[in-house]
Amino acid sequence: MNIIPYHEIRKISPEKARELVRKVFEANNKNVSKTAKILGVSRHTVRRAIYGPLEDKSRKPKTCPRKLSSELENLIIQEAKRTGFRYRRLSLYLFRKYGVKISENTIKSILKRNAVPRKTRKTKKGERSLYDYEALIPFSEFQLDTKHLLDKDSLPKEVYEHIKKYNLPCYEWNMIDVATRTRFTAYSYELSSAFGFMFISLVALWLRTHNVRTPIKIRLDNGEEFCGGSERKLKEWNKMLSFLGVELNPIPPKAKHLMGIIENSHRADDEYFLMIHAERCKTKDEFIQRAQRWQDTWNFFRPHSGKGMNGRTPFEKFIDSKSLVSSHVFQFPTLLLEDILKKVGTFYSLFCNKLGGKYVFTTYRGKNFLPGVKRKIKMTTLGIYKAVIFSASLIIR
């Protein structure tokens, strides 16, 4: 009698293999030992096939002491869908927000088991990092951009209407240090190159005052509020700002990907600042105060998972770099540029005076500053002293 080995049949169908055991068992007068010898299996296997069910039993463990509770698992799934974070960022996010330490591998298994979709972004083949993040020195490379706050596509209708109704600032001026992701912010009601030069000068003076000794390179776009694509204007600005060791590097046209760090911050401004706090402000002073809190939150408490950050906050990254720059550099005040213009005029004259000019005339027409009035601001040595004194007052603040 030729019998196909039990183990070969089992590979095809466990039920057919156990039916064979039962037939051989009946043919041999229900002798367990003889049946086991004929089929080349153990007596336990024979008894299991005779007295047990034909199908395989579940191998799922009856108890799992180290398994996460259903509440924690539901929390992980909920936060993953809401934030779009994967296991590494999500593990750090849960620890900072809820104080719950969960392994990255555990979160990875939960996301896979529950088929939580992953948000993907298309990238160009052979794409390289914008900077050598490991070799970057704090406060040496910056990205500079402006943001139009009144954006119907990014803000809820009620927030958009509230900003218009209470005449809150319309533009955000933002400069971010690439190495630490530290941000320096100001606001205004209008865009102009006078404000652009003023903001760059103000941040540069602040950095130099706090012991930043390295050359400062600033990457910016070709907006009208900066050099507007003018080679002559760019050369003129770089010549004036060279006294502070600042170099402006505009990006080529249609190359917004080179400003990825600061462009990504615009979404965070909408979601974590404007959508939450804008409706609570009815005056520009209240708005600036809340903007200051948002800048402090970004610099001191908000972790970043970008390249070179590894989940650290800008202040933590700065401390780990062991830089000799004063930590007070993080206390940069969030200001309204129109207020600075009223007090000290434009910073443009400070540098023109160094180039040999006696007077500088700038024309400014403000929508919210001196409505309907067109005036010329004459800056002399007294104006330069005012600018320096005002900068010192910001440092003391």
Side-chain angles (χ1 to χ4, degrees):
M1 181 178 178
N2 295 326
I3 300 177
I4 302 176
Y6 170 84
H7 296 290
E8 291 187 13
I9 299 178
R10 178 170 171 75
K11 291 178 182 178
I12 302 172
S13 172
E15 291 80 4
K16 296 294 183 182
R18 293 193 178 99
E19 286 179 1
L20 174 64
V21 173
R22 292 184 179 185
K23 290 179 181 180
V24 175
F25 179 72
E26 293 292 339
N28 289 276
N29 299 321
K30 300 183 178 180
N31 189 317
V32 175
S33 298
K34 193 172 182 181
T35 301
K37 187 175 181 180
I38 293 172
L39 296 174
V41 296
S42 67
R43 287 176 292 177
H44 175 75
T45 302
V46 175
R47 294 190 184 96
R48 161 72 177 81
I50 296 170
Y51 303 111
L54 290 176
E55 65 277 359
D56 284 342
K57 293 182 179 179
S58 173
R59 296 189 177 186
K60 182 180 179 180
K62 296 181 180 179
T63 60
C64 187
R66 300 180 63 182
K67 181 183 177 182
L68 286 181
S69 63
S70 58
E71 292 80 6
L72 273 180
E73 187 165 332
N74 291 335
L75 177 64
I76 292 172
I77 297 171
Q78 176 184 344
E79 292 293 347
K81 291 180 178 179
R82 187 181 66 84
T83 62
F85 293 166
R86 299 308 292 175
Y87 58 93
R88 183 167 292 113
R89 293 182 67 185
L90 195 57
S91 175
L92 181 64
Y93 176 78
L94 292 172
F95 178 71
R96 289 183 175 272
K97 184 174 182 180
Y98 300 103
V100 180
K101 185 69 174 178
I102 303 176
S103 168
E104 294 179 4
N105 292 330
T106 302
I107 295 177
K108 188 176 183 179
S109 300
I110 291 173
L111 298 181
K112 183 178 180 180
R113 183 168 63 249
N114 291 276
V116 178
R118 179 174 184 174
K119 294 182 180 179
T120 58
R121 292 182 296 175
K122 293 183 179 180
T123 57
K124 296 179 181 179
K125 291 184 178 180
E127 183 178 358
R128 299 181 179 179
S129 298
L130 298 179
Y131 302 91
D132 182 1
Y133 293 93
E134 297 298 328
L136 273 182
I137 300 173
F139 308 110
S140 60
E141 292 276 359
F142 289 85
Q143 290 187 7
L144 169 64
D145 198 10
T146 55
K147 173 178 171 57
H148 190 189
L149 303 185
L150 283 176
D151 188 349
K152 290 184 177 180
D153 295 331
S154 59
L155 293 180
K157 183 179 179 181
E158 57 273 15
V159 177
Y160 178 87
E161 294 298 336
H162 181 89
I163 294 176
K164 285 187 64 177
K165 178 181 178 181
Y166 290 97
N167 195 29
L168 300 179
C170 303
Y171 298 96
E172 176 185 277
W173 302 76
N174 191 6
M175 190 184 296
I176 294 183
D177 171 42
V178 176
T180 63
R181 305 302 197 273
T182 307
R183 71 187 296 172
F184 305 90
T185 316
Y187 292 85
S188 69
Y189 284 96
E190 291 190 353
L191 288 180
S192 73
S193 59
F195 283 161
F197 190 86
M198 181 191 300
F199 179 64
I200 295 172
S201 305
L202 186 63
V203 175
L205 286 169
W206 180 267
L207 294 172
R208 294 307 184 198
T209 307
H210 290 85
N211 203 36
V212 175
R213 295 292 176 259
T214 57
I216 299 173
K217 296 182 180 180
I218 302 176
R219 182 178 292 179
L220 66 166
D221 59 22
N222 294 284
E224 294 298 328
E225 67 273 20
F226 301 121
C227 297
S230 169
E231 291 292 337
R232 180 193 61 78
K233 192 172 185 179
L234 175 63
K235 186 177 180 180
E236 181 182 341
W237 279 28
N238 273 327
K239 186 175 183 180
M240 289 187 288
L241 291 171
S242 63
F243 291 105
L244 291 174
V246 175
E247 179 184 352
L248 303 180
N249 298 311
I251 61 174
K254 300 181 180 180
K256 274 291 187 180
H257 63 279
L258 298 177
M259 302 282 286
I261 293 175
I262 198 164
E263 290 291 343
N264 290 339
S265 71
H266 292 170
R267 179 179 176 181
D269 288 334
D270 290 331
E271 294 181 352
Y272 297 102
F273 175 51
L274 294 175
M275 291 183 185
I276 299 173
H277 296 283
E279 288 186 287
R280 303 174 184 177
C281 305
K282 295 185 178 180
T283 65
K284 66 177 183 180
D285 292 334
E286 292 179 2
F287 182 86
I288 294 299
Q289 288 177 4
R290 289 187 179 272
Q292 179 71 64
R293 295 175 192 171
W294 167 234
Q295 178 180 275
D296 294 340
T297 300
W298 177 284
N299 288 338
F300 288 99
F301 306 109
R302 189 175 187 273
H304 296 261
S305 56
K307 291 184 178 180
M309 293 300 293
N310 300 322
R312 291 171 290 183
T313 67
F315 188 71
E316 290 172 345
K317 178 65 183 295
F318 168 75
I319 295 299
D320 292 342
S321 70
K322 302 187 186 319
S323 173
L324 296 179
V325 176
S326 171
S327 61
H328 194 266
V329 72
F330 284 82
Q331 302 290 341
F332 182 80
T334 301
L335 300 168
L336 190 66
L337 294 180
E338 279 84 355
D339 290 343
I340 301 178
L341 187 64
K342 289 179 184 179
K343 291 184 179 180
V344 299
T346 174
F347 278 43
Y348 195 82
S349 58
L350 174 64
F351 301 93
C352 284
N353 187 273
K354 284 183 173 292
L355 295 176
K358 295 181 179 180
Y359 299 95
V360 175
F361 295 89
T362 59
T363 302
Y364 176 80
R365 181 186 295 276
K367 183 178 179 181
N368 296 284
F369 169 63
L370 298 178
V373 177
K374 186 176 181 181
R375 59 180 299 186
K376 292 184 177 180
I377 303 173
K378 185 176 180 181
M379 292 294 291
T380 59
T381 307
L382 179 61
I384 297 173
Y385 287 150
K386 285 182 179 180
V388 176
I389 292 172
F390 182 68
S391 301
S393 68
L394 295 181
I395 299 168
I396 296 172
R397 176 182 172 185

